[in-house]
Amino acid sequence: MSGIIDSFIPVAIFLVFGFVMPVATMIIVKQISPRSQAGRKLSTYESGSVPFGDARIMFNVQYYLFAIVFVIFDVEVMFLYPWVTVYLGVDKFFTTMSVIEVVLFVLVLFVGYLYALKKGALQWVK
Amino acid sequence: MDYIQLAFDLLGNPWIRGVVGLIVVGVIFFSAIVMVWLERKFLGDIQTRPGPNRVGGRFGLLQLVADAIKLFTKEDIVPENADKPVHAGGPIVALTSAFLMAVAVPYGVVSFEGSEYLLAVTTMDISALYVEAVAAVSIIALFMAGWGSNNKYSLLGAFRNIARMLGYEVPLGLAVLSVAVMAQSLDFVQIVSRQEQLAWFIFMQPLGFIVFGVALLADLGRIPFDQIEAEEELIAGVFTEYSSMRWGFAFFAEYLHAIVGACLVVILFLGGWSGLPFLGTLFIPPVLWFVGKVFVVIMVMIWIRGALPRVRIDQVTDLGWKVLFPYSLINLVWAAAVAMVVS
Amino acid sequence: MNGEIETQINLKPSEMLLHLGPQHPLQPGPFLLDLVLEGETVKDATLEMGFIHKGIEKILENRTYLQCIPITDRMCYLASISNNEVFCSGVESLMGIEPTERAKYIRTIMLELTRIQSHLLGIGEYATDIGFLSMFLWMIREREPIISLLEMVTGARLNHSFVRFGGVAYDLPAGFKEKTLRTLNEIRKKVEKHDEIMSRDSVYLKRTKGVGVLSRKAAMELGVAGPAMRGSGVDYDIRKVDPYLLYPDLDFKVITAPNGDVFDRVKVRLSEILESIYIIEQCIDMIPGGPFKQGYNPYLIKPKPGEVYSRVEDPRGEMGMYIVSDGTFKPYRVKVRGPAFATMQALPPLLKGAYMADNAAIASSMDSCTSEVDR
Amino acid sequence: MNTTGELTLNMLKEKFQVTEMRVESPNRVWARIAPDKILAIAKFLSNELEFDHLSSIAGADYGEALEAVYQITAYSHGIVLTLKAKVPKSNPVIDSLTPVYWNAAWYEREAYELLGISFRGNPNLAPLVLPAEMMGEYPLRKDYKGYPNPT
């Protein structure tokens, strides 16, 4: 147990550093960079035109479809991670069984993929 | 000699190793600077122009220093209707994600008085999974940047980023998985030592290497896949509204990701820090092997950037879902079969 | 300027109005392209011009004929010799004179050199717009010797002001023939190489084949000009249809391509470069001696009252000028019909229904020049 | 070629009672038409005589009257038919050619804002190259004094 914690202590240090360093740098930058008072500099850039409407609109559902398909497949991939380290386990029977199970699993995954493909969920709509 | 021994012992303590490991941040920052310089120079060569040649002598060695000074002294502008915390958070999260990736990457081994010491900030038994997980955080970082800016170009870029990255995370994960199947471990150190026993995994599963390489390029957003920053379409994509060092962080995060990505390619497929077998008698320290291979991978990335036009976003998602995903599944089955035969 | 348009537009909640311009990396010059986007698809496009309107037609009315020539350069610096040529040939026919035999040859060679360099830059800009920066810089490198050749003859790199009424400003310098032949040989080899890249690279083909298709019928209806038109399979070239200078006697083909997509438009330009090289090589061996301009005082030009419509094949298409003379030292009215104007006009219908990502490819494959539209 | 140009003019003369016309050169023919007949003539030209390309629409200011000048050409032959239609300056209205030639739209917009010739039937007669606040200035008219102050 302590081994795992030991390996993640540096991660924690890096995490803290990763948040502190940019913030500290930005504080320094704020001190040394010039300020101008022009108001229009604060408007969003839109090729020199005045922006029309809000950028945060109801966006095309297409992007969400990709996300949903992704969630399904990525979770399935996650299930495979523990399997890879143990499937050559103790004896031949165990190995055979685990391989058969995983082949079935991947097949189901693949059928799901084919379904999504047929349904056009992965098709970029025009 | 005892001092060195003592130093190694001290580095066994995770706290000390973590703090000392911050040097790695400096090192990869420096290598990012080198990579930017290399990219400009090498791209210049490809495009028959000199590249940077004004600051720092004929080779423009100090160009990046000049750029950094410029970024530091530029005004930091946040658009008035931006979501300020999200806008500020984007580059920071991207940078942090790059740092967290760098933690788990081992850079080689050092032999000292008969025993071998690993050059890595931390070792963990699931480092492959861990690196992939923290790498995926950068998707959120880019989306934060795009959404927070309240700029239409940025938002389009952010959505493109999501659509693209999602398509490539799965093949990328499956490619890492195939390596793990062969190595019987998710630990980078184990993966490298397994390659020393067998052969480099690029020879064992070339398909996996191709899938991983393409997916990695897409994840990094380098040129055939740089739709989120496609200049002629979206100005600077998600980073349109960034200026000063805020933009600098985003820029650096991109290059840090590229370097760590190159390290991953080397560790997973090119045998890590192990030398070429037929050069066995030639003594080159493992770290140099590692650095050399990373260098080669980076040069190939730059070369690809010089040689290819940009792919359209729908073609990108098509490639991810309809080509790479089935191939990565095939490769997984292949890898599992080979692993069973080998063991 | 865009105020009244926006009030007319009713957007659906999922649609977004995106301004491309007047300052956008895609654009060769400022114009405003308003896109209504749904996701990544362009639902509607409106184009507005006039950000750099220079009033050249009005300026020309207030200059003597000779003073007009440098002004015509400024319409589009990539085609300044064709702009000179169309103005001068119009005034020549008003005056009832002909350029000397030697001047005809020099003018033809210069026009073709202009075409080559304009196409090279056009293809280069287009290449950056599809994210192919290397090709842009290669094209710039290839263009450089051509510019040097033009500079060698005219003394200027871009705004040449070289053509005169009944002749040209200067004679060809010594060694021009050898240098031209040598340069063109190199350019031909390089262009053939780029042509090979552009017809075999699979990523490039995916980006351009079948994108922005302008059918033969639509092209004729929209009245686009030059390579954009020939890329749609219409063999319309002023050099053949309404020949001027030496073109009736020269041997050359009108390059066309059948499909009318982005790929074909660029392909036509590449092939036209090779065809232009061939034309110059024909001319350069046969340049006769004799005077290079008519012997009269160019400052005192006073054509008879009348009007004329002269046209030439600009690198971008049909360049026409309608000149009215009232018998004084200054033209009464000059109307410029630029090829870019016709091409720009066809852009909004072409963009409708395209991907946002293809905008850049389509717009720059038309190779339009804002400066000329806003003359 | 010469005959084709002349033939065209003769047909115009028969059908539309055009009186003032001339053949300037083999490839250039010229006719002055009544402004109310422009649309009918254009339809006739494009449908029956293969004049399927509108090169440009210019305008000119002749003191008391404005003139719309049409250069009508073809993709298949090199004849440029110049049609001139005089409209009074007090009420410069003429039919738009957009039903026949799609690309007339922008030329008409340009002539409209620079010279003030109004084209009846143009779908979007908005200023193209001038800013909206300069409408009504008509810079290409001979009596234009400059904006905002003459230089």
Side-chain angles (χ1 to χ4, degrees), chain C residues 113-314:
Chain C
L113 282 177
T114 310
R115 193 183 317 282
I116 295 174
Q117 60 93 9
S118 169
H119 279 350
L120 283 173
L121 189 72
I123 297 167
E125 277 182 2
Y126 153 82
T128 42
D129 286 349
I130 59 164
F132 201 176
L133 188 65
S134 301
M135 185 55 88
F136 170 67
L137 287 151
W138 292 333
M139 286 298 175
I140 291 289
R141 180 190 62 189
E142 265 58 296
R143 181 170 171 258
E144 204 52 37
I146 303 280
I147 296 279
S148 304
L149 278 179
L150 285 166
E151 187 187 7
M152 185 179 174
V153 180
T154 66
R157 287 170 62 84
L158 293 173
N159 293 319
H160 305 293
S161 305
F162 181 62
V163 183
R164 293 290 183 275
F165 311 112
V168 290
Y170 318 106
D171 206 352
L172 292 179
F176 175 77
K177 182 179 160 186
E178 293 72 32
K179 196 175 170 195
T180 310
L181 288 176
R182 204 168 53 235
T183 313
L184 291 182
N185 245 331
E186 281 165 26
I187 304 275
R188 172 183 285 135
K189 271 182 225 140
K190 283 171 178 164
V191 168
E192 272 165 359
K193 211 174 87 191
H194 297 320
D195 193 12
E196 196 187 320
I197 293 175
M198 285 201 168
S199 43
R200 294 211 343 226
D201 185 274
S202 59
V203 176
Y204 176 77
L205 290 182
K206 271 196 111 171
R207 261 318 285 280
T208 55
K209 278 271 184 190
V211 171
V213 177
L214 187 63
S215 69
R216 185 187 151 87
K217 195 167 159 289
M220 288 168 85
E221 198 184 318
L222 299 186
V224 296
M229 177 128 227
R230 295 192 281 274
S232 297
V234 187
D235 58 341
Y236 181 60
D237 190 326
I238 307 292
R239 291 177 292 177
K240 282 279 189 212
V241 172
D242 191 5
Y244 51 100
L245 294 179
L246 291 176
Y247 292 110
D249 313 326
L250 288 173
D251 165 41
F252 67 100
K253 293 194 296 285
V254 176
I255 312 284
T256 56
N259 300 324
D261 51 11
V262 169
F263 177 84
D264 275 7
R265 287 196 277 274
V266 177
K267 182 90 180 162
V268 164
R269 283 202 187 91
L270 273 170
S271 316
E272 274 185 13
I273 293 173
L274 299 176
E275 201 65 25
S276 289
I277 292 174
Y278 176 58
I279 292 176
I280 296 173
E281 283 173 349
Q282 285 176 55
C283 295
I284 205 154
D285 282 334
M286 304 187 294
I287 302 180
F292 60 90
K293 60 179 169 189
Q294 302 276 29
Y296 60 87
N297 189 346
Y299 298 98
L300 298 174
I301 286 171
K302 208 166 151 186
K304 292 186 289 288
E307 53 196 83
V308 69
Y309 181 73
S310 75
R311 51 178 183 167
V312 302
E313 183 73 17
D314 192 79

Side-chain angles (χ1 to χ4, degrees), chain A residues 19 22-23 26 30, chain B residues 76 78-79 82-95 141 144-145 148-149 241-242 245-247 249-250:
Chain A
F19 278 108
V23 174
M26 278 323 291
K30 280 242 153 66
Chain B
D76 165 39
V78 182
D83 191 338
K84 292 204 170 58
V86 179
H87 180 263
I92 297 179
V93 171
L95 202 60
M144 282 168 76
S149 306
E241 289 294 351
Y242 285 87
M245 234 9 230
R246 268 184 223 281
W247 184 83
F249 292 142

Side-chain angles (χ1 to χ4, degrees), chain A residues 8-73:
Chain A
F8 280 94
I9 285 170
V11 174
I13 293 174
F14 268 62
L15 189 63
V16 172
F17 178 75
F19 278 108
V20 169
M21 195 274 287
V23 174
T25 316
M26 278 323 291
I27 291 171
I28 299 173
V29 168
K30 280 242 153 66
Q31 302 310 314
I32 60 177
S33 68
R35 304 273 106 190
S36 81
Q37 297 302 318
R40 286 302 289 275
K41 74 177 180 187
L42 292 177
S43 71
T44 42
Y45 176 75
E46 206 169 312
S47 309
S49 304
V50 182
F52 173 74
D54 196 23
R56 300 184 186 120
I57 54 164
M58 287 163 66
F59 225 79
N60 200 335
V61 72
Q62 178 62 32
Y63 296 106
Y64 302 115
L65 277 182
F66 277 110
I68 290 165
V69 177
F70 164 75
V71 167
I72 297 165
F73 287 112

Side-chain angles (χ1 to χ4, degrees), chain C residues 12-28:
Chain C
K12 282 192 277 178
S14 62
E15 286 176 345
M16 147 164 118
L17 180 80
L18 185 69
H19 297 299
L20 285 191
Q23 289 299 324
H24 192 279
L26 149 73
Q27 297 167 334

Side-chain angles (χ1 to χ4, degrees), chain B residues 184-307:
Chain B
Q184 286 299 297
S185 168
L186 285 166
D187 186 352
F188 283 149
V189 184
Q190 296 289 326
I191 290 171
V192 171
S193 62
R194 187 72 177 161
Q195 291 185 63
E196 276 168 352
Q197 288 167 24
L198 296 170
W200 292 5
F201 285 160
I202 182 175
F203 303 120
M204 306 281 285
Q205 36 174 312
L207 189 60
F209 174 72
I210 293 167
V211 168
F212 186 80
V214 174
L216 185 77
L217 269 186
D219 250 18
L220 296 174
R222 291 186 58 84
I223 229 171
F225 304 106
D226 70 336
Q227 293 78 16
I228 51 163
E229 288 161 59
E231 191 184 324
E232 285 74 21
E233 298 150 25
L234 302 179
I235 318 286
V238 291
F239 298 126
T240 306
E241 289 294 351
Y242 285 87
S243 59
S244 180
M245 234 9 230
R246 268 184 223 281
W247 184 83
F249 292 142
F251 177 76
F252 263 117
E254 223 173 284
Y255 278 88
L256 296 184
H257 273 118
I259 288 169
V260 179
C263 292
L264 288 187
V265 173
V266 170
I267 289 171
L268 295 179
F269 290 97
L270 298 178
W273 48 86
S274 56
L276 287 167
F278 50 85
L279 285 178
T281 51
L282 204 69
F283 182 75
I284 299 172
V287 180
L288 279 191
W289 271 114
F290 188 80
V291 172
K293 285 176 191 171
V294 170
F295 175 78
V296 170
V297 173
I298 285 175
M299 288 305 255
V300 171
M301 282 188 196
I302 300 172
W303 182 27
I304 290 174
R305 176 174 170 181

